[in-house]
Amino acid sequence: MVEVKTDYHVILAGAGAVVQEKFTPEVLDKLGSSTQRYIFDLDHRRLLDAETRKRSSKLVVADGEATPFKIPEGREREYVGIVATPEHLGVIRSLTESGVRKFIVEKPLVNNTTEIAELHKLLSQYPDLKVYPLDFYVQKATPLLVLTGAISSDDPRREWVTEGTSGDLYEHIGELEGIQVTVFEGGGFGLPDLAKRKWLEEDSLRGGQLLDLGTHAFTPLIAAGVIPVSGVKVESATREILGDDRHSFTKAPPYRPEIVSKATLSIPASEGYIPCIMTVGKSFHSGGMWELVLRGSRGDLVMGLRTGQRLTVIPKSAPTFEMSLKINDPYGLAFQEADMYFRGIGGFDGNLPAMLKSIEIIDQIKAKSP
């Protein structure tokens, strides 16, 4: 496992559901256990919560402002901004102007391609700025990144994964013929989650399941090199919302964020294109589907995305084998990976290009299903 050697002062923007459930003190400790932590939120009532207080040594009520203080000059490298509010780009910009130069940002990093351009402008304006997009499905898919060679044998993240077998993915499954990825959340991840995060169903800019779950579907595949960064075409797409009874689906009007999105994409391959079939959404059902399937000319790869620990390769004429994470802690691994990125270990790009390409694809899907 990677040993974290840097202690940072942590500025945590947001104190909502994702912070309560995922950003535990143990996860924040990955960035240094002896740090001072600041939490601010536009809703001061969240800062009174006992669980929130455990995560902070100083609470700051923002009172409508995204920046509660100024980083002392010369100490910019000591601070990390963690952005877990529904609005990301504005908070990143504001904290950058206050002196923060390192960020961990919950998915989606930005909302659309227009904001991608604005982020690139900010990165050009501040050359020492580093932004790590946190999508813990990438960490769940670490075995896939190892198999495709996106994580090399001398990369410290290789130690996160159990031994599988020798050779890369395509030696085992042959030429890639098709991709199917499903993140369809039922049970507690379905309607109860919508009740906690109402903007997903109400905010036309930040809402919808394409942004909420689409990066889960695409970012790991792009980071692994399964989906290339150019040449992807969206052939068809549909968007649905919950019916009035909350137990059915109906076509989404243009002004309503979708609860289910389905799309068929063409992915460049060695000869022509292969299909990628994507489904993301939330449901009233007691169960859901979380799965990635890669279909090859000589075998298949299957991975359960909800847990993410186990990847199974099924060659046609060789024994099946499995790979998995050694420790079931994708958020903790993400914070370790962010620290690697901030320290410049191995030239790691922090998954930033993969996240931005994912958002570009999501915009293309939206354009096909307005």
Side-chain angles (χ1 to χ4, degrees):
M1 303 296 286
V2 177
E3 293 294 331
V4 177
K5 300 178 181 179
T6 307
D7 279 0
Y8 297 109
H9 298 300
V10 174
I11 304 170
L12 181 51
V18 69
V19 172
Q20 298 294 339
E21 296 171 9
K22 303 297 185 182
F23 293 166
T24 64
E26 293 76 18
V27 167
L28 294 178
D29 283 351
K30 302 293 183 182
L31 293 173
S33 58
S34 61
T35 63
Q36 186 172 23
R37 296 174 185 146
Y38 304 84
I39 297 182
F40 70 90
D41 197 284
L42 299 183
D43 185 349
H44 72 279
R45 293 169 296 181
R46 289 176 173 163
L47 300 179
L48 302 177
D49 180 81
E51 287 300 314
T52 300
R53 289 182 177 276
K54 291 180 183 179
R55 293 160 168 77
S56 177
S57 54
K58 182 175 181 180
L59 299 175
V60 181
V61 180
D63 289 333
E65 296 293 333
T67 308
F69 49 79
K70 180 78 174 177
I71 304 300
E73 188 174 351
R75 299 183 60 189
E76 295 87 355
R77 296 180 181 273
E78 300 174 22
Y79 288 80
V80 172
I82 303 175
V83 182
T85 54
E87 162 61 28
H88 294 163
L89 184 59
V91 176
I92 296 169
R93 183 186 295 111
S94 185
L95 286 176
T96 299
E97 292 170 352
S98 294
V100 180
R101 292 296 181 268
K102 300 179 179 70
F103 287 90
I104 298 172
V105 185
E106 256 288 347
K107 58 83 187 169
L109 175 59
V110 292
N111 294 306
N112 49 43
T113 51
T114 299
E115 291 191 0
I116 290 176
E118 294 177 23
L119 178 63
H120 279 307
K121 183 177 180 181
L122 192 66
L123 290 167
S124 298
Q125 185 178 355
Y126 297 93
D128 57 343
L129 179 60
K130 286 196 169 185
V131 177
Y132 176 85
L134 194 160
D135 189 320
F136 67 101
Y137 271 51
V138 178
Q139 283 68 52
K140 289 181 179 184
T142 302
L144 176 63
L145 273 71
V146 168
L147 268 181
T148 61
I151 293 177
S152 63
S153 59
D154 59 350
D155 189 307
R157 292 172 294 167
R158 180 63 184 82
E159 295 302 314
W160 298 355
V161 177
T162 60
E163 292 296 329
T165 187
S166 60
D168 69 15
L169 172 64
Y170 305 107
E171 290 180 26
H172 300 289
I173 69 169
E175 292 286 332
L176 194 59
E177 294 183 342
I179 304 166
Q180 182 167 311
V181 56
T182 302
V183 185
F184 191 68
E185 298 186 331
F189 293 97
L191 298 197
D193 188 56
L194 288 178
K196 290 185 296 184
R197 300 191 292 158
K198 294 183 178 179
W199 79 86
L200 291 176
E201 207 171 357
E202 298 170 355
D203 190 323
S204 58
L205 175 63
R206 304 176 186 92
Q209 295 311 296
L210 276 166
L211 273 175
D212 187 49
L213 301 176
T215 62
H216 286 343
F218 293 123
T219 305
L221 293 173
I222 297 167
V226 174
I227 293 179
V229 295
S230 62
V232 176
K233 301 178 182 179
V234 178
E235 304 294 354
S236 64
T238 61
R239 298 168 57 250
E240 299 174 346
I241 59 174
L242 285 163
D244 292 338
D245 60 358
R246 309 288 286 180
H247 278 79
S248 62
F249 296 105
T250 185
K251 184 178 179 180
Y255 56 88
R256 289 285 300 277
E258 72 285 336
I259 301 303
V260 175
S261 176
K262 302 174 184 178
T264 301
L265 293 75
S266 291
I267 308 298
S270 57
E271 295 183 11
Y273 289 87
I274 61 172
C276 174
I277 303 168
M278 178 221 71
T279 302
V280 296
K282 292 190 179 293
S283 177
F284 49 83
H285 295 94
S286 58
M289 281 293 294
W290 295 259
E291 188 177 50
L292 167 67
V293 178
L294 302 182
R295 170 70 179 175
S297 59
R298 298 198 306 271
D300 300 333
L301 178 149
V302 180
M303 188 171 187
L305 295 178
R306 177 174 174 178
T307 55
Q309 285 79 52
R310 195 165 302 282
L311 171 155
T312 303
V313 177
I314 313 169
K316 288 181 179 179
S317 57
T320 296
F321 68 90
E322 295 181 339
M323 297 178 68
S324 62
L325 291 176
K326 291 179 180 177
I327 298 176
N328 179 14
D329 182 22
Y331 263 90
L333 295 178
F335 272 61
Q336 289 190 33
E337 194 173 69
D339 180 72
M340 291 173 56
Y341 177 49
F342 297 150
R343 291 192 280 136
I345 293 179
F348 173 49
D349 64 12
N351 303 320
L352 182 60
M355 170 62 72
L356 296 181
K357 182 59 183 180
S358 175
I359 292 169
E360 288 181 5
I361 293 174
I362 288 168
D363 257 15
Q364 293 175 42
I365 293 173
K366 286 183 175 181
K368 282 285 185 178
S369 56

